[in-house]
């Protein structure tokens, strides 16, 4: 446990953080209220229009949706029940939740530990490593599909274990792509944390590991949540890598939706209602995630650390 000096320093930083949040809330309105209402209304229509269309189509008949009807002519709530047998949605959601949650947790805590070393310690190659984090973001993911597939195939041949077609394959892939950005987010956030907190803890005899776990991590939750949610969404929305690295038993929800949509092409009227219902069901975990961590998200995206 830290002594009174460290506790007082943390309390002072927390008070300054709340004061900064109060000052940030006192922002002068740039637009007149009538114009602000119009702008917000237009933005809501743009954002909520497609969502409402999906919602109405999910309870509408397939014929009505095919004819271009926006509002449902008749209600078919059974689409939300039929979709579980028509689409392999249950298995896909389970795989997505397991892989994406694992990626989010591991990526968030690896990012904060890596960022702490990069921010608080000077060593040869530090700037090169930071520039490399930015450079990795400019590489299109599509260019990495074939190298990743060949790498996993070669590793499977050498190690004698199956990698492609398992959850571990997509977990390693998503973690690799999410970690550079998440680390840079945490580097930016940790730069805003005052060094006085760590200096007070070192005076009390705390080790670097104790400082990281007892001071840095508790004060960095907004940044950790932002980096974790980014990693989660990267895996949740991916179709390209998951469609190549998984099999029917390990495919994610996004791939299950893609396969279901592909089977509806040509022939009779597609099952639009079930397609929209499945899409909304897959969007629910993301919405819940944002609602649960909304407070941390706002703090991580706006505060930039403790000033």
């Amino acid at each position: 446990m830290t002594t009174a000096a460290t506790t007082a320093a943390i309390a002072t930083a927390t008070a300054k953080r709340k004061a900064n949040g109060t000052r940030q809330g006192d922002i002068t309105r740039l637009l007149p209220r009538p114009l602000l209402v119009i702008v917000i209304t237009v933005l809501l229509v743009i954002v909520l229009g497609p969502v409402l269309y999906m919602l109405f189509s999910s309870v509408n008949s397939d014929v009505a949706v095919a004819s271009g009807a926006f509002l449902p002519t008749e209600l078919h709530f059974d689409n939300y029940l039929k979709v579980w047998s028509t689409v392999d949605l249950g298995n896909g959601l389970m795989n997505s939740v397991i892989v994406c949650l694992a990626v989010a947790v591991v990526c968030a805590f690896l990012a904060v530990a890596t960022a702490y070393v990069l921010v608080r310690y000077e060593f040869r190659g530090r700037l090169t490593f930071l520039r490399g984090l930015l450079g990795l973001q400019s590489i299109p993911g599509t260019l990495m599909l074939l190298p990743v597939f060949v790498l996993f195939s070669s590793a499977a041949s050498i190690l004698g274990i199956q990698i492609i077609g398992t959850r571990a394959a997509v977990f390693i892939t998503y973690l690799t792509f999410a970690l550079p950005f998440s680390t840079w987010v945490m580097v930016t956030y940790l730069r805003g944390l005052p060094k006085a907190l760590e200096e007070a803890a070192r005076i009390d005899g705390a080790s670097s590991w104790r400082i990281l776990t007892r001071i840095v991590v508790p004060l960095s939750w907004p940044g950790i949540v932002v980096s974790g949610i980014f990693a989660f969404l990267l895996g949740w929305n991916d179709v390209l890598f998951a469609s190549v690295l998984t099999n029917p038993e390990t495919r994610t929800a996004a791939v299950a939706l893609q396969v279901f949509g592909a089977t509806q092409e040509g022939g009779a009227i597609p099952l639009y209602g079930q397609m929209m219902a499945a899409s909304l069901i897959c969007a629910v975990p993301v919405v819940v995630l944002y609602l649960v961590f909304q407070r941390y998200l706002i703090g991580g995206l706006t505060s930039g650390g403790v000033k």
Side-chain angles (χ1 to χ4, degrees), residues 92-93 96 235-239 242 251-259 282:
L93 285 174
S96 290
W236 192 269
N237 296 327
D238 173 70
V239 177
R251 66 173 47 145
T252 60
V255 178
L257 286 178
Q258 181 199 37
V259 172
C282 290

Side-chain angles (χ1 to χ4, degrees), residues 7-27:
T7 305
I10 295 176
T12 302
T14 305
K16 289 181 179 180
R17 190 178 189 176
K18 292 181 179 179
N20 286 335
T22 303
R23 287 196 297 270
Q24 289 174 358
D26 301 332
I27 300 176

Side-chain angles (χ1 to χ4, degrees), residues 130 133-134 179-189 191:
L130 288 171
L133 292 178
L134 289 178
L179 193 56
F181 179 82
S182 297
T183 302
W184 189 258
V185 169
M186 292 309 306
V187 165
T188 305
Y189 193 89
R191 281 174 176 169

Side-chain angles (χ1 to χ4, degrees), residues 81-104:
L81 299 177
K82 292 179 180 178
V83 72
W84 296 99
S85 57
T86 307
V87 188
D88 189 18
L89 199 57
N91 184 57
L93 285 174
M94 181 186 66
N95 290 327
S96 290
V97 169
I98 292 174
V99 172
C100 295
L101 277 181
V103 171

